[in-house]
């Protein structure tokens, strides 16, 4: 089961970068199914946060929020620092930005960034820090010269 979850996780990550939504849906639903059948693994939080995004795309934000909250709860239970950044990234920046105050994103995502750096998951840690220092300030209306000053620190 653990090897299958890791394979599905790798397919999910790869499908994000090669624009293959069929593989995203397939890998996500299979990971959720395996989690429900066999219990939590280190990729369970990622599976539920990805499912939350799929439901959000269907514009059912109430259910998407429930799945995103479930993903954070599972992530806390399994306490896997390597998958924490992707779970938080997906939950906060694809679901909670539509359903919760944006200010509530800063602290949990800063902690997920730290977990990503410490565990070696620099890819998603970098995504988080970029959105925290560039994306959200832009949405809040920060001056572009201030934002552009922070960009080199995000790379």
């Amino acid at each position: 089961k653990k090897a299958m979850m890791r394979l599905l996780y790798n397919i999910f990550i790869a499908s994000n970068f090669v624009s293959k939504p069929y593989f995203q849906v397939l890998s996500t639903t299979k990971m959720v199914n395996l989690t429900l059948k066999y219990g939590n693994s280190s990729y369970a939080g990622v599976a539920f946060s990805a499912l939350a995004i799929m439901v959000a795309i269907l514009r059912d934000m109430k259910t998407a929020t429930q799945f995103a909250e479930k993903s954070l709860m599972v992530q806390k239970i399994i306490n896997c620092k390597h998958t924490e950044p992707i779970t938080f990234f997906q939950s906060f920046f694809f679901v909670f930005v539509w359903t919760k105050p944006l200010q509530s994103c800063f602290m949990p995502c800063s902690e997920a960034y730290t977990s990503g750096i410490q565990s070696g998951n620099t890819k998603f840690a970098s995504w988080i820090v970029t959105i925290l220092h560039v994306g959200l300030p832009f949405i809040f209306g920060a001056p572009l010269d201030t934002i552009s000053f922070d960009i080199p620190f995000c790379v």
Side-chain angles (χ1 to χ4, degrees):
K1 175 199 144 219
K2 188 174 180 179
M4 178 61 81
M5 287 292 279
R6 183 172 178 93
L7 174 66
L8 290 167
Y9 169 79
N10 287 332
I11 291 170
F12 171 76
I13 296 299
S15 66
N16 284 316
F17 293 102
V18 294
S19 300
K20 298 292 183 189
Y22 174 77
F23 289 119
Q24 290 173 322
V25 172
L26 182 65
S27 60
T28 297
T29 54
K30 189 65 176 172
M31 282 193 299
V32 169
N33 188 22
L34 288 172
T35 299
L36 294 174
K37 188 173 182 179
Y38 297 108
N40 290 335
S41 73
S42 56
Y43 303 103
V46 175
F48 282 103
S49 63
L51 185 60
I53 293 171
M54 284 193 265
V55 173
I57 290 169
L58 298 173
R59 298 186 183 179
D60 182 355
M61 296 311 292
K62 182 179 178 184
T63 305
T65 301
Q66 291 172 343
F67 279 125
E69 288 171 350
K70 172 80 170 172
S71 74
L72 297 179
M73 183 181 71
V74 168
Q75 192 66 47
K76 186 175 182 177
I77 291 168
I78 60 175
N79 196 27
C80 179
K81 297 300 182 187
H82 186 74
T83 57
E84 186 177 51
I86 186 170
T87 302
F88 275 66
F89 176 75
Q90 292 181 148
S91 295
F92 279 92
F93 299 128
F94 289 101
V95 179
F96 293 151
V97 293
W98 301 106
T99 61
K100 296 183 182 266
L102 287 175
Q103 293 85 350
S104 69
C105 294
F106 284 104
M107 184 57 75
C109 290
S110 295
E111 293 169 7
Y113 163 77
T114 302
S115 292
I117 293 299
Q118 290 174 347
S119 69
N121 191 347
T122 56
K123 183 187 320 177
F124 282 95
S126 298
W127 278 108
I128 289 172
V129 77
T130 301
I131 290 176
L132 285 176
H133 291 280
V134 178
L136 291 178
F138 177 77
I139 291 169
F140 284 131
L144 291 178
D145 57 341
T146 303
I147 294 172
S148 66
F149 180 77
D150 286 343
I151 290 174
F153 299 108
C154 297
V155 182

